Amino acid sequence: MAAQLGSAERPLRVAVIGSGPAGFYAAESLLKRPNLTCSIDIFNRFPTPYGLVRDGVAPDHQSIKSVTRVFDKILENPQVRFFGNVTFGKDISHDEIKRYYDQIIYAVGAQTDRRMGIPGEDFLGSFPATAFVGWYNGHPDYRDLEFDLSCERVVVVGNGNVAMDVTRILAADPDELAKSDIADHALAALRKSKIREIMMLGRRGPAQSSFTNPELKEFGELAGVDVRVDPADLALDELSEQSLAENRVAAKNMETLREYALKTTFPAPRRIYMRFLYSPVEILGEDGKMTGVVIERNQLVPDGKGGLKAIGNGVKDRIRAGMILRSVGYKGQPLADVPFNEANATIANVAGRVVDPATQEPVAGEYVVGWIKRGPSGLIGNNKPDSIATADAMVEDISSVTPIDDENRDPAKISTLLAERGVVIVNSNDWKKLNEYELNMGKQQGRPRVKVTRVDEMLSIINK
Ligand code: NAP
């Protein structure tokens, strides 16, 4: 009789697709189970792990990145292997992964942006904020984008923390950013920036903002930057005023915004202008390039779910601007042969178990964590309990799992398959080498790291 699945004689073979925080936390949770032996392979599209910790967290927020020490420890565990530079659906198919692993965890995050659906959205100069984030963080997909920073005003749409990040990076003193791991190409472009005003537009009021208070306070601490808030924008309707009693973050934000609104002169070389209850309704342009934005004043009305939504009141204004960053949320993308819920752009799941969207029946052995499970919201730490919950479901299901054929249990098989296919696998040691290279380059320049931003360059450093 075959040994029990998940025992030392017959470890549970788990594939994690994606190496961001959610995937690592799920792996960590499985490794910590006292009566479970598993062997975990983490696949990642790029040679570099850590997902949005590397590619999303702003370069001037280095302390947030220290969480990678936890992930490094997981990579050092002999039960874990890293398969960087391997794309699910291209280098390895869903069927093949099913052949070699008892359980699969999808941890691919939300790979694209939501669109606004307004005229002019595709003019040159109109970008999703997520592209700008990828660019300044040296993400290989975005490193060759060109952002023309020669204009005086940029409009940032949205009131979440991503909007705060992109606004801060545009406003910050490049000499300060030079102390961070911001991508070299972005730093060079920001040094030549002519931008004097970054106008943030929140479609709802200040009490409905999604940003958190430390991020709002940081605006006031930026050297050479004034923060402008119009006092009239802070007048709250009755429901918003009441909501402050239950929402501490919103109450603190109101306090900070009221302090900013006391300012009446703005002599600093750069300015962040935060406006509330405004939506862009059209992006204006000439010869394919944007020249400005039409904004409409909003009013708040009950949304029928106990909250407030914004609707335009017909009063419009034109603003000259050379760039607009639409920061209205990330969006999940389907994976080949994995059930997808178009309505909320997540992998179809019930509490982390992938399901057939038509029947809601679980798809045996397939699980999901992170933003592709619950949508693009929450901080890095929010992924931990969420991933543990999925790992609980996986453990609960072990007794009912149909194990893979024992002949496919040998961990060498997957490496051989990929190698035969010509896929250059970046393993944990390879990543360590690249990591040390980046850290050393950083040390020489007095920075935390200097990022390598092209995959071929990463591979040549690894293979040196
Ligand atoms: P978010 O927090 O969901 O914010 C999205 C913003 O876009 C909201 O203000 C939303 O307004 C607005 N919006 C949506 N559709 C819009 C439209 N059609 N027109 C105008 N505005 C629109 O998302 P996010 O900023 O992308 O951040 C994603 C997650 O990552 C969040 O949980 C965030 O806290 C986290 N994050 C954290 C940090 C940090 O800790 N420093 C940094 C970056 C990201 P409504 O509220 O009216 O819908």
Side-chain angles (χ1 to χ4, degrees):
M1 208 178 85
Q4 199 187 339
L5 189 62
S7 62
E9 299 76 44
R10 202 160 170 243
L12 180 77
R13 296 271 297 133
V14 177
V16 182
I17 314 298
S19 68
F24 272 108
Y25 285 133
E28 181 186 48
S29 174
L30 290 173
L31 292 165
K32 277 187 175 165
R33 311 273 159 157
N35 299 315
L36 176 69
T37 306
C38 47
S39 114
I40 302 177
D41 290 347
I42 303 177
F43 293 85
N44 196 57
R45 184 158 72 99
F46 288 114
T48 53
Y50 311 144
L52 282 181
V53 179
R54 179 179 169 101
D55 299 323
V57 172
D60 57 345
H61 280 177
Q62 285 299 312
S63 61
I64 297 180
K65 298 188 184 223
S66 59
V67 68
T68 57
R69 280 191 224 120
V70 177
F71 306 151
D72 284 338
K73 266 215 173 117
I74 298 167
L75 284 183
E76 276 164 22
N77 188 313
Q79 287 163 259
V80 176
R81 298 187 302 174
F82 180 60
F83 285 82
N85 201 37
V86 180
T87 303
F88 177 89
K90 176 174 152 261
D91 298 320
I92 183 109
S93 71
H94 175 260
D95 279 0
E96 286 161 342
I97 289 274
K98 289 286 272 187
R99 195 182 308 152
Y100 295 106
Y101 298 93
D102 300 303
Q103 292 184 329
I104 308 167
I105 306 172
Y106 301 109
V108 294
Q111 294 288 329
T112 185
D113 60 287
R114 287 185 49 224
R115 297 205 29 112
M116 297 198 63
I118 58 171
E121 206 166 349
D122 292 318
F123 276 129
L124 194 62
S126 163
F127 296 96
T130 52
F132 189 65
V133 170
W135 175 75
Y136 65 59
N137 275 329
H139 185 296
D141 280 350
Y142 302 101
R143 60 100 52 232
D144 290 320
L145 287 180
E146 280 179 26
F147 293 92
D148 180 0
L149 310 180
S150 64
C151 55
E152 285 216 352
R153 181 183 292 123
V154 173
V155 171
V156 174
V157 187
N159 262 345
N161 277 329
V162 172
M164 300 302 268
D165 281 350
V166 298
T167 297
R168 201 177 61 252
I169 296 296
L170 284 168
D173 180 346
D175 283 341
E176 286 302 314
L177 293 175
K179 298 172 190 163
S180 76
D181 66 354
I182 189 167
D184 285 346
H185 55 257
L187 183 62
L190 286 162
R191 282 199 186 282
K192 291 193 220 138
S193 166
K194 296 273 187 299
I195 295 165
R196 285 187 40 78
E197 181 175 278
I198 302 108
M199 183 185 286
M200 277 186 79
L201 301 179
R203 68 173 165 184
R204 295 193 289 162
Q208 287 81 34
S209 305
S210 304
F211 51 70
T212 35
N213 194 250
E215 279 67 22
L216 180 59
K217 282 195 162 154
E218 264 178 297
F219 277 3
E221 291 154 11
L222 292 171
V225 176
D226 284 323
V227 185
R228 174 175 173 187
V229 176
D230 295 339
D233 276 7
L234 301 186
L236 298 184
D237 60 278
E238 209 178 318
L239 280 177
S240 298
E241 189 67 59
Q242 282 166 10
S243 72
L244 297 184
E246 291 140 35
N247 185 340
R248 275 188 48 220
V249 176
K252 271 182 154 182
N253 283 345
M254 280 307 296
E255 230 173 80
T256 311
L257 288 166
R258 283 183 180 129
E259 281 167 29
Y260 290 153
L262 295 175
K263 218 176 198 154
T264 51
T265 56
F266 309 98
R270 289 176 306 284
R271 175 166 67 188
I272 294 173
Y273 185 7
M274 302 182 76
R275 305 185 76 179
F276 297 94
L277 289 165
Y278 283 102
S279 282
V281 289
E282 184 180 353
I283 298 171
L284 304 167
E286 274 168 29
D287 303 327
K289 167 114 181 58
M290 77 165 278
T291 52
V293 185
V294 179
I295 60 172
E296 183 176 5
R297 184 77 175 160
N298 292 328
Q299 62 190 57
L300 293 177
V301 295
D303 64 3
K305 295 178 242 163
L308 291 165
K309 67 176 182 185
I311 55 163
N313 72 0
V315 180
K316 294 183 184 166
D317 197 4
R318 279 170 175 245
I319 292 165
R320 283 202 72 78
M323 184 162 91
I324 183 166
L325 297 178
R326 305 166 334 245
S327 184
V328 297
Y330 285 79
K331 187 173 176 224
Q333 286 274 74
L335 287 176
D337 304 317
V338 182
F340 196 68
N341 183 346
E342 293 288 348
N344 59 7
T346 58
I347 289 179
N349 76 95
V350 173
R353 286 184 178 95
V354 176
V355 296
D356 176 331
T359 62
Q360 299 293 297
E361 280 300 310
V363 176
E366 300 190 37
Y367 303 86
V368 62
V369 292
W371 280 6
I372 198 66
K373 170 186 176 184
R374 60 176 203 276
S377 71
L379 308 179
I380 293 166
N382 296 119
N383 287 300
K384 193 167 179 172
D386 177 272
S387 293
I388 292 173
T390 293
D392 287 345
M394 293 171 72
V395 173
E396 220 175 277
D397 292 351
I398 289 177
S399 55
S400 59
V401 143
T402 309
I404 54 168
D405 291 344
D406 279 333
E407 64 186 56
N408 289 333
R409 215 158 263 292
D410 176 2
K413 286 218 165 174
I414 191 89
S415 325
T416 310
L417 176 87
L418 288 166
E420 278 170 4
R421 206 163 270 178
V423 179
V424 181
I425 300 164
V426 171
N427 65 26
S428 298
N429 284 334
D430 298 332
W431 156 241
K432 243 189 205 169
K433 190 169 168 187
L434 177 59
N435 188 33
E436 270 156 28
Y437 173 89
E438 290 191 339
L439 293 173
N440 276 334
M441 291 292 287
K443 208 179 251 174
Q444 288 168 30
Q445 297 182 21
R447 302 170 61 187
R449 77 169 60 233
V450 172
K451 282 183 177 174
V452 180
T453 58
R454 292 191 195 281
V455 172
D456 52 2
E457 206 184 320
M458 292 177 190
L459 297 181
S460 78
I461 290 162
I462 288 167
N463 293 321
K464 239 183 229 162

